[in-house]
Amino acid sequence: MSTTQPIRDRALLQDFKNYYLLHAPNPRNYTLIVIGLNTALRISDILHLTWNMVLKENGSFRTHILIKEQKTGKENRILINQEVKRVLGNYWNNTERELNDYIFQSSKSSPNPLSRCQAYRIIRKAAEEVGLEDVIRCHSLRKTFGYHAWKQGTPPALLMNIYNHSSYQITKHYLCIEQDDRDEVFGNIQL
């Protein structure tokens, strides 16, 4: 079985991100992908987000998502960045939901959240439609966050902390550093 990959190519990443915005409009699916790419949360934690975890009673955004990770049981505090606020705001304004509802409700079994299988189908469909040939799964959103944060200069030790990983080896595996990344370092060094 192949390893889940991050989406490395910025143009393909933009196409993937915008698939449910421009090509097959679906605000829920678009929001799911944007949140996955911008929060580094596991899909199980994303699917269990509720509106009151991101919005206050008065409808304004909280500054952070406070979550107890399902897999690790560890608490995590994630800044809600401007992109996430924009997308969530648009989605909230165009849906009829209550603050205690799941953000990503199943359309078939409301008020339950989307299933992991359905989230996988949503992500795979976008990946296939934009021509991503790598192994793209739900975890690719989390890995893509880390890969691009690392490429922008975020120290691996900080990524290890963001991911709540117990070892640097796990974080290193997440980054999926390949030969082209190594070649870029050698090509750019001028000593």
Short mmCIF file of all heavy atoms in Angstrom, two decimals, residues 1-2 30 47 62 111 114 164 180 183:
data_model
loop_
_atom_site.label_atom_id
_atom_site.label_comp_id
_atom_site.label_asym_id
_atom_site.label_seq_id
_atom_site.Cartn_x
_atom_site.Cartn_y
_atom_site.Cartn_z
N MET A 1 0.85 -1.18 0.00
CA MET A 1 0.00 0.00 0.00
C MET A 1 0.89 1.24 0.00
O MET A 1 1.85 1.34 0.75
CB MET A 1 -0.89 -0.01 1.23
CG MET A 1 -1.92 1.04 1.23
SD MET A 1 -3.25 0.49 2.31
CE MET A 1 -3.90 2.02 2.81
N SER A 2 0.59 2.19 -0.85
CA SER A 2 1.40 3.40 -0.99
C SER A 2 1.13 4.36 0.15
O SER A 2 0.05 4.39 0.74
CB SER A 2 1.07 4.09 -2.31
OG SER A 2 1.34 3.24 -3.39
N TYR A 30 -16.09 22.32 -0.20
CA TYR A 30 -15.04 23.33 -0.33
C TYR A 30 -14.52 23.71 1.06
O TYR A 30 -13.31 23.77 1.29
CB TYR A 30 -15.59 24.55 -1.07
CG TYR A 30 -14.63 25.71 -1.14
CD1 TYR A 30 -13.44 25.62 -1.85
CD2 TYR A 30 -14.92 26.91 -0.50
CE1 TYR A 30 -12.56 26.70 -1.92
CE2 TYR A 30 -14.05 27.99 -0.56
CZ TYR A 30 -12.87 27.87 -1.27
OH TYR A 30 -11.99 28.93 -1.33
N LEU A 47 -14.27 16.44 11.17
CA LEU A 47 -15.66 16.03 10.99
C LEU A 47 -16.49 16.24 12.26
O LEU A 47 -17.71 16.35 12.18
CB LEU A 47 -15.74 14.57 10.55
CG LEU A 47 -15.14 14.29 9.17
CD1 LEU A 47 -15.19 12.81 8.86
CD2 LEU A 47 -15.80 15.11 8.08
N ARG A 62 -14.46 33.02 16.97
CA ARG A 62 -13.50 32.83 18.06
C ARG A 62 -12.11 33.05 17.48
O ARG A 62 -11.94 33.00 16.26
CB ARG A 62 -13.62 31.42 18.64
CG ARG A 62 -14.99 31.14 19.24
CD ARG A 62 -15.06 29.74 19.84
NE ARG A 62 -16.40 29.47 20.32
CZ ARG A 62 -16.90 29.91 21.47
NH1 ARG A 62 -16.16 30.65 22.26
NH2 ARG A 62 -18.13 29.62 21.84
N PRO A 111 -28.77 14.84 12.08
CA PRO A 111 -27.75 15.82 12.40
C PRO A 111 -26.35 15.21 12.61
O PRO A 111 -25.52 15.79 13.28
CB PRO A 111 -28.26 16.42 13.71
CG PRO A 111 -28.88 15.26 14.41
CD PRO A 111 -29.48 14.42 13.30
N LEU A 114 -20.54 14.08 8.64
CA LEU A 114 -20.12 13.25 7.51
C LEU A 114 -19.33 12.07 8.02
O LEU A 114 -18.62 12.18 9.02
CB LEU A 114 -19.19 14.04 6.58
CG LEU A 114 -19.76 14.99 5.57
CD1 LEU A 114 -18.63 15.71 4.85
CD2 LEU A 114 -20.63 14.27 4.57
N ASN A 164 1.40 17.60 17.35
CA ASN A 164 1.33 16.81 18.58
C ASN A 164 1.99 15.44 18.41
O ASN A 164 1.52 14.45 18.94
CB ASN A 164 -0.12 16.66 19.08
CG ASN A 164 -0.50 17.73 20.06
OD1 ASN A 164 0.34 18.24 20.78
ND2 ASN A 164 -1.77 18.07 20.08
N ASP A 180 13.64 15.87 -5.03
CA ASP A 180 13.53 17.22 -5.57
C ASP A 180 13.68 18.28 -4.49
O ASP A 180 14.23 19.35 -4.72
CB ASP A 180 12.23 17.41 -6.37
CG ASP A 180 10.97 17.24 -5.55
OD1 ASP A 180 10.97 16.47 -4.58
OD2 ASP A 180 9.96 17.88 -5.90
N ASP A 183 17.38 18.35 -3.85
CA ASP A 183 18.05 19.01 -4.98
C ASP A 183 17.91 20.52 -4.89
O ASP A 183 18.84 21.27 -5.24
CB ASP A 183 17.48 18.51 -6.31
CG ASP A 183 17.82 17.06 -6.61
OD1 ASP A 183 18.68 16.49 -5.90
OD2 ASP A 183 17.21 16.50 -7.54
#
